[in-house]
Amino acid sequence: MSLALRDPIHDYIHLDDLEAAVLQSRPMQRLRSVRQLGLANLVFPGAEHSRFSHVLGAMELAGKMYDVLAERKPDLLERDPRSPLRRNVRLAALLHDIGHAPFSHSSEELFEEGIDHEQMTEHLLALPELCDLFETDDAEVGIEPVRKILRGDGGDPSDRLLAQIVSGELDVDKMDYLLRDSHYCGVGYGNYDLGRLLETIVPLQEPETGQWGLGIEEGGVHAYEALVLARYYMFTQVYFNVTGKVLELHLNEWLKESGVRWPRDPVRFLEYDDLWVWSQMRGSDTLHARAILQRQHYVLAFETREHLSSSERNHFVTALDSVRERARGIEILVSNSAKDPHGLGASAVLVRDADGGLQPLQDVSEFIRYLTRIERFRVYTPQEDRKSVRAMLKAELEQ
Amino acid sequence: MSLALRDPIHDYIHLDDLEAAVLQSRPMQRLRSVRQLGLANLVFPGAEHSRFSHVLGAMELAGKMYDVLAERKPDLLERDPRSPLRRNVRLAALLHDIGHAPFSHSSEELFEEGIDHEQMTEHLLALPELCDLFETDDAEVGIEPVRKILRGDGGDPSDRLLAQIVSGELDVDKMDYLLRDSHYCGVGYGNYDLGRLLETIVPLQEPETGQWGLGIEEGGVHAYEALVLARYYMFTQVYFNVTGKVLELHLNEWLKESGVRWPRDPVRFLEYDDLWVWSQMRGSDTLHARAILQRQHYVLAFETREHLSSSERNHFVTALDSVRERARGIEILVSNSAKDPHGLGASAVLVRDADGGLQPLQDVSEFIRYLTRIERFRVYTPQEDRKSVRAMLKAELEQ
Amino acid sequence: MSLALRDPIHDYIHLDDLEAAVLQSRPMQRLRSVRQLGLANLVFPGAEHSRFSHVLGAMELAGKMYDVLAERKPDLLERDPRSPLRRNVRLAALLHDIGHAPFSHSSEELFEEGIDHEQMTEHLLALPELCDLFETDDAEVGIEPVRKILRGDGGDPSDRLLAQIVSGELDVDKMDYLLRDSHYCGVGYGNYDLGRLLETIVPLQEPETGQWGLGIEEGGVHAYEALVLARYYMFTQVYFNVTGKVLELHLNEWLKESGVRWPRDPVRFLEYDDLWVWSQMRGSDTLHARAILQRQHYVLAFETREHLSSSERNHFVTALDSVRERARGIEILVSNSAKDPHGLGASAVLVRDADGGLQPLQDVSEFIRYLTRIERFRVYTPQEDRKSVRAMLKAELEQ
Amino acid sequence: MSLALRDPIHDYIHLDDLEAAVLQSRPMQRLRSVRQLGLANLVFPGAEHSRFSHVLGAMELAGKMYDVLAERKPDLLERDPRSPLRRNVRLAALLHDIGHAPFSHSSEELFEEGIDHEQMTEHLLALPELCDLFETDDAEVGIEPVRKILRGDGGDPSDRLLAQIVSGELDVDKMDYLLRDSHYCGVGYGNYDLGRLLETIVPLQEPETGQWGLGIEEGGVHAYEALVLARYYMFTQVYFNVTGKVLELHLNEWLKESGVRWPRDPVRFLEYDDLWVWSQMRGSDTLHARAILQRQHYVLAFETREHLSSSERNHFVTALDSVRERARGIEILVSNSAKDPHGLGASAVLVRDADGGLQPLQDVSEFIRYLTRIERFRVYTPQEDRKSVRAMLKAELEQ
């Protein structure tokens, strides 16, 4: 039952028997009905791809990254295509997104209290229909090591490295979604030099803690920068697209007014996907449903710059509150698109120079520090209120 | 309200106000929920694209093809980006697929009696929500010329040419879907040399009838052959994929057992798309629903060669009938994948040589004639009956 | 001294120490000054690539093909990246073109008597500057096994397989040059589905002889056909381009009138490359030199169809002789572009069906047989004689 | 004699009669023997392309850019494919590089005194073999308008715009070479979103001077940034490659020791191209000739950071002088790779926001300012002196 699937990004992807069985499971198949980019296809018609193909790609890259790292540090990661460590990290990448709500990130906030998509992933992994698949003869490959990788809390020297492959500054999640999303959107950004990156990643030991983590050789610094920039451009131009954002706001309004929440119970959760939402919405005839179904969405009345300082932020929020107060009769939807283009401040991606010296990436890269946090507010209103809201807001802001 | 959309195949696609309005109409937006390749994404995970992006691409190519032809024969087709002929042919390409049933070709046979997807397109074009959009000042651009192009029954010298752009041996429909489907499936066939083809198409007058039609310069013969071959490969390897076909059979069985038909009334028809089918199917727990939803589909017990002669065909049908008789208790599903790789015998694509001489393509192309009709039967059964049905069928065939 | 080189076709290509040393040798570096497509860049401006990058690509593909075959038949080919068999076949692919004359195939006939480019390769392999590099500790990797692969005369079961990887119906030579030449020319043909092909090749044992050879699984037949067609199109449209051919004729005339021959002595041979020819030609001011240097080449007076039958061939040759006789004062250059699109008649590429049955490819592929031999004559003359020669030839042919 | 050429980057490029005649002229054909990237192909094997295909691409892009600008400001630039302004700007782009010395930028300093490649272009344009081609009936198309565009000194409102198309912050020169060089090198950087850029460029009038120039709409800022970054990466990773640089140093040393200078006389200049240099070098057996021909080049003993501050620069130069003094017997070659990643400080690329407001790009782009000047010294020595020179230099630098 081993499987070979064709993928537009990575060509053939081969799955062994266990991977193929996992792929056929309900939590995985559900991802076929969760679009990778939520409602973005209403703006970028090509962006119709699901989270299903993304996780296949992430799995493929996890294997490739493992192989590169194992070649450079074989005493830490065994150089063998059938190594349990390699199989576990591939399975972790395959399964890392099963907890995603319908429309991926668009409706993340609607989980029942005390839960988010990562916890849902944990719950789903515990379902017998998944667990039982892992009862193979190789005791070292299993649901437990996969959870350890996803939680990032293993104790072995190699555990942190495997966890970073799946989730970290330089993980297969973003390595795949950047290539995939730009391919499907048909945009010219989002690309980076995957070949060069794989050529230069290396396991490095942090001098102070002695912990192993993903690092990069000096010759790969520019390839890494380019990945960061690709992400930055996808956020500013696709994920935070002005029309995509208002549709997302309407979606959330509709879900709230309909009393929809993503259930805490994993078996019930499995019933919720994009398809379920669309079916419900079609039976509805509210303003927010029509906004999406018939594209009668609100229009942009005002947007801030793309990068607000904290005082600009406060100033805007105050002005907005004041306008909301004055314009009580008018429906206003506000999006706040915020993202750090990288997490280099907090994490420690190390760069190794030709002499073996180690430095944090942000000390080596000349301009990456100046890629400031994206933070932009957008104010949407019905077409007829656009001008007045804009005028009010501008007046408030100039005070 | 003019629009610029990004497309993975043709980069930017620009729509004028009328085109943008048409695009927003309900019959067009419905195509977002009709997958271009039916259930093929269950086999080729990347093939999640809808008919919506395909018709945008067809429109874009219609404009490009118009421009090339107008440059070569400006007295027949006016060289002007705003020419009514050009606008009409783009609109015809945009609208040519609105009559498609859910899952595109997969469930074509379930239209209510006396109707097919082309007639449904006609009915939809008559709906006020579409018609009314065309009431612009330019009287030469409108629903009537579009219908004339789609029906191919105009009387002007240029009419046949415009009709062939949208539907013919060398039309923008296949020119787009080949590139698009192979891009999304991630396969290496389906490509052909679009640049070369556009460089060599030319309006030609049939010597006998005096009618104008699409022809090709001698230097483009190999590019044309390559298009025919690309189509041949997409059919044999993607559209007629062994697993895709059985899923399609189960889908049709489920639709029939559920009493589903695509209504003749265009307004009601608009409610039927892939999403509607999926929602219904999820509420169902029949064998055929499970076959698709849980991938418990029948397996291949037998398949014929890819190209049956007519006597082989008869021999097979007789054998199959006999097996059906003998194996009454066993469920058998049979697909017959049949397609002519080209229609060159019937149509008259002319080739013009350097001296201006004209010849039908099939006389110039050395091997295209030998691309015989694809005709292949496949017999699927439940896993447990696979061996016995195969044995019975083989025995019958050897008689 | 191991090396990683970037390649537009295969991304990173890694060379081990021995391969890197071979690459730096004079016979290999000479290939930097031998254009892969002779004078084709005068017609396709992008085609400026040398044979040097082609052999790197061939080496890379040889390794990939080895890995696929080894996975399917590990008792025949050891599954190990450092296996001597694998290293030898890569080296053979790297070295297989060192005997090529300047301008690759364009001036093949000018070798001194009794020698051709394959024999020159043998002579060059015997030079100490190459031989000595192989004196490594691994006795199984060396110049002798490489020669055995290139000559195709080894006695072990695996020898024939390795030889076919480098030279045969499905060899890395054409697998690379098709992708590479079409990439550099910027044409849309020449592509085929490399991924699918590698997925379906398999070592097969000929039933009668028991010999192992390269075969293909049934699912790969169309991918193989597409490779054959890609080659066919590159020949008809690029390699046999009408202008490229006349430039080649002038080149040969100039070389002959200058008394140039490619020496039999390998050390002297190394001095001859494109650059040497260009330098000589620039010092010359003959008609044939100007034809190339100043593009004052002859023009096409007549060409036959692309596929001549043998009687058409004879008829043409007789007519041409007669014209040459009558038009003695007129310079006439004649090209005969001939190529079999495949060698399937002679060779035995086997196809394995799902039941393990074996059939020759030409019995399975429905139309590949009808890809007839390319044979086309072209007659070129000075511009002023074009019309008269054409008229004479047409008159003769109509007799 | 109009011409259609195939290009790997822009597909078909069409030339009208005059352009085709110019292309056939000696100054243009000479560019076939001037590699676009000098000796870079010795490091990136694919980079064998000449300046000839680059200028074809630049011409193609000049036409496309003209069309976009004319559509947005038709009273400034006539919307007509045959407009003299359009033809002139295409011709200027085609001719803009004819003055390049052999190996492009690698040996720029060897022009005879008082001349550089731009002045040589002027001299070549005055040659009758070029001038005379322009004596067509359309008096508005000619060598004079072309020179005006290349010099950037026209007085009409449109003149500055046309000049910026060919040479400026956002010119077709870099727009083509980035795509082309990365395509041929096979690297993953160098790409940017050409479609988006062309969608957002716009003629803008500087508020103070009233002059027209190339600007960009706010929605294109990120596309512009990406172009700047693509250039930055091509410089840091390809054009300033560590091995490429030392080969360039040896080349210059060899040219100097051989007394070679690029002549001021344009007719004599035409004889000098890469081919001429190679032929001369082969007859030479000096250390520097061998360094290139037999790859016996010096090795890197030391390199500075990629971005030196001015005090770091001075510190390094002083240290280097001191080492040169102390190590008199040792050959040292030093490269200084310096480039501003953009010229935004000096030039005035304006950005237009949705309200029509204008701002300089560097005020809008959040991080482009921090892309500091590349300036890096590298010190190369013979292999045997590497360690001692490195030690001396490090000791000096630490003082």
Side-chain angles (χ1 to χ4, degrees), chain A residues 4 6 11-12 14 72 79 81 193-197 199, chain C residues 4 6 11-12 14 72 79 81 193-197 199:
Chain A
R6 208 73 193 262
D11 205 33
Y12 273 98
H14 295 90
R72 290 180 195 155
R79 286 178 69 178
D193 193 337
L194 176 60
R196 182 82 187 145
L197 208 57
E199 199 74 7
Chain C
R6 208 74 193 261
D11 205 33
Y12 274 98
H14 295 90
R72 290 180 195 155
R79 286 178 69 178
D193 193 338
L194 176 61
R196 182 83 186 142
L197 209 57
E199 200 73 7

Side-chain angles (χ1 to χ4, degrees), chain B residues 189-206:
Chain B
Y189 28 92
N191 268 301
Y192 59 93
D193 193 339
L194 176 60
R196 182 83 188 144
L197 209 57
L198 288 176
E199 199 74 6
T200 52
I201 53 169
V202 64
L204 291 178
Q205 203 169 13
E206 284 176 20

Side-chain angles (χ1 to χ4, degrees), chain B residues 308-321:
Chain B
L308 294 185
S309 68
S310 118
S311 68
E312 286 170 327
R313 185 188 198 290
N314 293 337
H315 184 54
F316 175 79
V317 169
T318 310
L320 181 65
D321 286 347

Side-chain angles (χ1 to χ4, degrees), chain A residues 56-344:
Chain A
L56 275 169
M59 180 193 75
E60 177 68 11
L61 281 177
K64 281 192 185 160
M65 207 189 255
Y66 180 94
D67 293 339
V68 169
L69 297 171
E71 202 181 314
R72 290 180 195 155
K73 193 73 190 159
D75 50 336
L76 201 62
L77 303 176
E78 190 191 1
R79 286 178 69 178
D80 178 353
R82 301 295 299 159
S83 149
L85 296 186
R86 188 179 189 275
R87 296 184 64 201
N88 284 323
V89 79
R90 275 174 58 98
L91 283 160
L94 185 63
L95 286 159
H96 83 285
D97 267 354
I98 51 176
H100 264 291
F103 298 99
S104 295
H105 298 283
S106 304
S107 65
E108 182 85 25
E109 292 157 26
L110 292 173
F111 273 101
E112 285 181 4
E113 238 170 282
I115 198 169
D116 61 18
H117 85 262
E118 283 167 13
Q119 285 161 305
M120 180 50 74
T121 299
E122 287 260 359
H123 293 340
L124 290 166
L125 286 176
L127 289 181
E129 56 191 296
L130 259 180
C131 273
D132 295 356
L133 301 173
F134 282 79
E135 291 179 359
T136 58
D137 48 340
D138 189 338
E140 294 177 67
V141 177
I143 207 78
E144 262 325 301
V146 166
R147 292 169 94 162
K148 210 167 57 174
I149 292 171
L150 291 177
R151 278 196 305 251
D153 61 0
D156 288 343
S158 61
D159 282 339
R160 192 156 166 273
L161 208 47
L162 297 182
Q164 289 187 350
I165 290 176
V166 180
S167 177
E169 272 304 289
L170 193 54
D171 60 32
V172 295
D173 180 30
K174 57 176 81 67
M175 283 167 79
D176 183 79
Y177 78 62
L178 290 173
L179 296 179
R180 189 169 303 274
D181 295 349
S182 71
H183 177 86
Y184 278 85
C185 290
V187 297
Y189 28 91
N191 268 301
Y192 60 92
D193 193 337
L194 176 60
R196 182 82 187 145
L197 208 57
L198 288 177
E199 199 74 7
T200 51
I201 51 169
V202 65
L204 292 178
Q205 202 170 11
E206 285 176 21
E208 291 143 41
T209 64
Q211 282 187 312
W212 286 93
L214 272 179
I216 201 139
E217 285 168 16
E218 199 175 15
V221 166
H222 290 318
Y224 187 98
E225 284 173 358
L227 176 88
V228 171
L229 285 161
R231 188 157 164 263
Y232 176 74
Y233 288 129
M234 288 302 282
F235 270 96
T236 54
Q237 299 187 76
V238 175
Y239 309 149
F240 291 166
N241 177 277
V242 61
T243 305
K245 273 288 159 193
V246 72
L247 293 170
E248 212 172 284
L249 290 170
H250 284 298
L251 173 66
N252 272 277
E253 292 301 312
W254 180 84
L255 288 167
K256 281 185 226 151
E257 78 188 13
S258 309
V260 173
R261 302 300 295 269
W262 315 131
R264 166 197 306 275
D265 172 50
V267 175
R268 283 188 47 232
F269 175 79
L270 286 178
E271 291 164 22
Y272 291 77
D273 58 11
D274 294 13
L275 219 141
W276 181 89
V277 175
W278 284 116
S279 299
Q280 299 299 311
M281 201 189 289
R282 286 180 175 191
S284 173
D285 190 34
T286 71
L287 182 148
H288 293 300
R290 282 196 306 274
I292 295 170
L293 294 173
Q294 298 164 39
R295 306 293 294 271
Q296 301 170 357
H297 55 75
Y298 288 6
V299 296
L300 184 71
F302 183 81
E303 64 179 344
T304 65
R305 297 193 316 122
E306 208 166 50
H307 304 270
L308 295 186
S309 67
S310 117
S311 67
E312 286 170 327
R313 185 188 199 292
N314 292 337
H315 184 53
F316 175 80
V317 170
T318 311
L320 180 65
D321 286 347
S322 161
V323 168
R324 280 198 203 265
E325 189 69 22
R326 287 170 52 198
R328 263 178 210 264
I330 302 177
E331 277 289 336
I332 290 179
L333 291 178
V334 179
S335 73
N336 177 13
S337 303
K339 190 80 191 176
D340 284 309
H342 55 74
L344 294 173

Side-chain angles (χ1 to χ4, degrees), chain B residues 206-392:
Chain B
E206 284 176 20
E208 290 143 41
T209 63
Q211 282 188 311
W212 286 94
L214 273 179
I216 200 138
E217 286 167 16
E218 199 175 14
V221 166
H222 290 318
Y224 186 98
E225 285 172 357
L227 177 87
V228 171
L229 285 161
R231 187 157 164 265
Y232 175 73
Y233 288 129
M234 287 303 281
F235 270 97
T236 54
Q237 298 185 77
V238 175
Y239 309 149
F240 292 167
N241 177 277
V242 61
T243 306
K245 272 290 158 192
V246 73
L247 293 169
E248 213 172 284
L249 290 170
H250 284 297
L251 172 67
N252 272 277
E253 291 303 311
W254 179 82
L255 288 167
K256 280 184 226 153
E257 78 188 13
S258 310
V260 174
R261 302 300 295 268
W262 315 132
R264 164 196 308 276
D265 171 51
V267 175
R268 283 187 47 231
F269 175 78
L270 287 177
E271 291 163 22
Y272 291 77
D273 57 11
D274 293 14
L275 219 141
W276 181 89
V277 175
W278 283 116
S279 299
Q280 299 300 310
M281 201 189 290
R282 286 181 175 191
S284 172
D285 190 36
T286 71
L287 182 148
H288 294 299
R290 281 195 306 273
I292 295 170
L293 293 173
Q294 297 164 40
R295 307 295 293 273
Q296 300 170 356
H297 55 77
Y298 289 4
V299 295
L300 183 71
F302 184 81
E303 65 180 342
T304 66
R305 297 194 313 123
E306 208 166 49
H307 304 270
L308 294 185
S309 68
S310 118
S311 68
E312 286 170 327
R313 185 188 198 290
N314 293 337
H315 184 54
F316 175 79
V317 169
T318 310
L320 181 65
D321 286 347
S322 162
V323 168
R324 280 196 203 268
E325 189 70 21
R326 285 170 53 198
R328 264 178 210 264
I330 302 177
E331 277 290 335
I332 291 178
L333 292 178
V334 179
S335 73
N336 176 12
S337 303
K339 190 82 192 175
D340 284 310
H342 55 75
L344 294 172
S347 85
V349 174
L350 293 173
V351 176
R352 181 169 70 187
D353 66 27
D355 296 330
L358 300 181
Q359 273 187 286
L361 181 72
Q362 58 273 38
D363 289 5
V364 178
S365 175
E366 287 293 315
F367 67 93
I368 213 82
R369 279 167 281 184
Y370 299 100
L371 260 188
T372 46
R373 177 175 171 79
I374 308 166
E375 177 147 20
R376 162 177 267 176
F377 287 93
R378 288 190 180 116
V379 178
Y380 301 91
T381 64
Q383 177 73 49
E384 61 271 21
D385 301 316
R386 186 183 166 279
K387 281 200 179 157
S388 64
V389 169
R390 180 175 178 78
M392 273 190 274

Side-chain angles (χ1 to χ4, degrees), chain B residues 63-84:
Chain B
K64 280 191 185 160
M65 208 190 254
Y66 180 94
D67 293 339
V68 168
L69 297 171
E71 201 181 313
R72 290 182 194 153
K73 194 72 191 158
D75 51 335
L76 201 61
L77 302 176
E78 190 191 0
R79 284 179 69 178
D80 178 353
R82 301 295 300 157
S83 149

Side-chain angles (χ1 to χ4, degrees), chain C residues 326-343:
Chain C
R326 286 170 53 199
R328 262 178 211 263
I330 302 177
E331 277 290 335
I332 291 178
L333 291 178
V334 178
S335 74
N336 176 12
S337 302
K339 191 81 190 175
D340 285 309
H342 55 74

Side-chain angles (χ1 to χ4, degrees), chain A residues 7-9 23 28-38 41 46-58 96-97 100-101 103-104 173 176-177 180-181 184 273-275, chain B residues 35 41-42 44-49 184:
Chain A
D7 178 62
I9 308 300
L23 195 75
M28 285 298 305
Q29 290 290 319
R30 171 182 169 273
L31 296 185
R32 289 189 183 274
S33 302
V34 177
R35 286 240 167 93
Q36 170 78 2
L37 297 185
N41 75 303
E48 302 184 302
H49 54 306
S50 70
R51 210 148 269 274
F52 184 79
S53 53
H54 161 58
V55 293
L56 275 169
H96 83 285
D97 267 354
H100 264 291
F103 298 99
S104 295
D173 180 30
D176 183 79
Y177 78 62
R180 189 169 303 274
D181 295 349
Y184 278 85
D273 58 11
D274 294 13
L275 219 141
Chain B
R35 285 241 167 90
N41 75 303
L42 298 178
F44 294 91
E48 301 184 304
H49 55 305
Y184 278 86

